[in-house]
Amino acid sequence: MQRPPLFESDGFIYWKNRFETYVKSKDLDLWHVITDGDFPPIQFNPETKKDEIVSFHKQNDDLKKKLAKNNEAKMVIYNALPRKEYERIFMCQTAKEIWDTLLITHQGNNQVKANKIDLLVQQYEQFMIPEEESIDNAFAKFNTIITSLKALDEGFSSKNCVRNLANCDW
């Protein structure tokens, strides 16, 4: 397995998207463990016809492989982090705890995220292209706003983005 993208605190959204794509391309179960938490040690019992918690010594190989995903996910995250970031998260027990800590540290809590979205929406709605600016530079600025909005889970459709750009005074 090749190394995941190296963490960039000053470009966290860029790194986050690349890291997510990397992990999903390797193993979707890993991404599940990072975002949703460990798989529970549960197996279907044909006698009782119910899912039951299974002690380690009674777990089959498939379940053990799923349960090992947390350590595998933690290792993928560790391999992406520099020492300074590792020192922030080394006490976390699960990959989900690590991921949530990174998100809060570099993206902020829900209120900070909402404030960032509000600011970006305002920039989006007020976007104008000055006469002296090239189309390439203007598009790059507009694309940065849209990419940041999408990265913060704001659902702007491409159709609306194109419409806004097309309505700019050229």
Side-chain angles (χ1 to χ4, degrees):
M1 185 186 268
Q2 69 188 52
R3 189 178 177 120
L6 294 176
F7 181 84
E8 299 178 27
S9 61
D10 59 336
F12 181 75
I13 291 173
Y14 172 71
W15 173 81
K16 177 183 148 192
N17 289 334
R18 290 178 60 232
F19 183 80
E20 177 181 347
T21 303
Y22 171 83
V23 173
K24 285 179 175 179
S25 74
K26 297 297 178 190
D27 186 343
L28 287 174
D29 283 342
L30 282 183
W31 188 245
H32 165 81
V33 168
I34 290 170
T35 57
D36 300 329
D38 281 343
F39 290 102
I42 294 175
Q43 277 182 318
F44 182 76
N45 183 334
E47 294 171 9
T48 63
K49 299 189 186 221
K50 294 181 181 180
D51 286 334
E52 296 176 355
I53 295 178
V54 181
S55 63
F56 181 79
H57 68 280
K58 291 184 179 179
Q59 294 171 5
N60 65 29
D61 287 342
D62 287 340
L63 183 58
K64 285 180 181 178
K65 285 178 185 174
K66 271 192 155 182
L67 296 175
K69 291 291 180 187
N70 183 60
N71 285 325
E72 193 177 338
K74 284 171 54 176
M75 186 50 91
V76 171
I77 297 171
Y78 291 160
N79 285 335
L81 299 178
R83 184 181 184 109
K84 180 181 174 185
E85 289 301 319
Y86 173 79
E87 289 171 358
R88 289 182 196 205
I89 54 88
F90 81 97
M91 294 297 288
C92 296
Q93 297 297 307
T94 66
K96 179 174 176 31
E97 284 179 60
I98 295 170
W99 188 249
D100 290 346
T101 300
L102 290 171
L103 291 178
I104 291 293
T105 303
H106 297 284
Q107 201 172 273
N109 61 19
N110 287 339
Q111 185 176 0
V112 171
K113 191 174 170 182
N115 289 341
K116 287 179 182 180
I117 289 171
D118 289 345
L119 180 63
L120 288 165
V121 167
Q122 184 180 11
Q123 290 175 1
Y124 169 81
E125 290 173 346
Q126 295 175 353
F127 185 79
M128 292 177 49
I129 302 171
E131 240 179 75
E132 65 278 358
E133 189 164 23
S134 74
I135 293 173
D136 287 345
N137 285 346
F139 180 74
K141 288 180 183 177
F142 186 76
N143 198 39
T144 299
I145 294 168
I146 299 307
T147 303
S148 298
L149 279 168
K150 286 183 179 180
L152 290 169
D153 298 327
E154 188 63 23
F156 280 94
S157 73
S158 298
K159 185 177 177 182
N160 289 340
C161 296
V162 170
R163 184 178 296 130
N164 190 25
L165 190 58
N167 288 334
C168 286
D169 292 327
W170 297 94

